[in-house]
Amino acid sequence: MELPPAAVEVRKDETTRLYEALTDGQVVGTLAYETTGGRVALTHSYVDPDQRHRGIASALARYALEDLSQSQTKVGIYCGFVADYVEDHPEFNDVVDISRSAFIATRTARDTNSGR
């Protein structure tokens, strides 16, 4: 069942290294990132099960990619959801380092299994 889009606010918490999605003032999703040697990697996303399919993970991915596009560093992608998001939103291709193994094209495995 598809739920209506959520009114979501996204913020960056540099202390916890998380992008956080909030609805009604409550954190309902996160996107973790790591910084090492001047590189940034988006590592894992999570959305509360009762909040899924409402655009929250997409809002997190878009916010993080827009935020990170301000830097001169390419972003490594380890999060399968964000990899799929970038594939569907090619305007972020120059933000991510798609020539490195950090970019995980998870859709390929999913498409193969679904017979597409």
Side-chain angles (χ1 to χ4, degrees):
M1 177 173 107
E2 190 75 19
L3 297 172
V8 63
E9 170 194 348
V10 180
R11 67 184 180 201
K12 181 178 182 180
D13 184 336
E14 293 183 15
T15 304
T16 60
R17 294 185 315 272
L18 293 172
Y19 289 95
E20 299 175 324
L22 297 92
T23 60
D24 297 324
Q26 298 294 315
V27 175
V28 296
T30 58
L31 175 56
Y33 68 92
E34 296 290 332
T35 56
T36 305
R39 286 192 47 89
V40 177
L42 298 173
T43 60
H44 180 76
S45 59
Y46 177 81
V47 175
D48 291 346
D50 63 336
Q51 296 294 318
R52 292 179 183 166
H53 308 289
R54 301 184 70 202
I56 292 170
S58 293
L60 281 164
R62 176 170 288 285
Y63 185 95
L65 291 165
E66 287 175 349
D67 177 55
L68 294 168
S69 72
Q70 306 299 317
S71 72
Q72 298 296 318
T73 303
K74 297 279 186 168
V75 178
I77 307 293
Y78 290 88
C79 173
F81 181 87
V82 177
D84 287 347
Y85 185 87
V86 170
E87 186 176 304
D88 289 340
H89 297 86
E91 66 268 24
F92 291 112
N93 281 346
D94 23 339
V95 176
V96 298
D97 190 351
I98 60 174
S99 66
R100 297 196 183 243
S101 61
F103 186 82
I104 301 170
T106 58
R107 179 159 295 147
T108 304
R110 189 169 66 231
D111 289 348
T112 303
N113 293 331
S114 69
R116 289 207 258 173

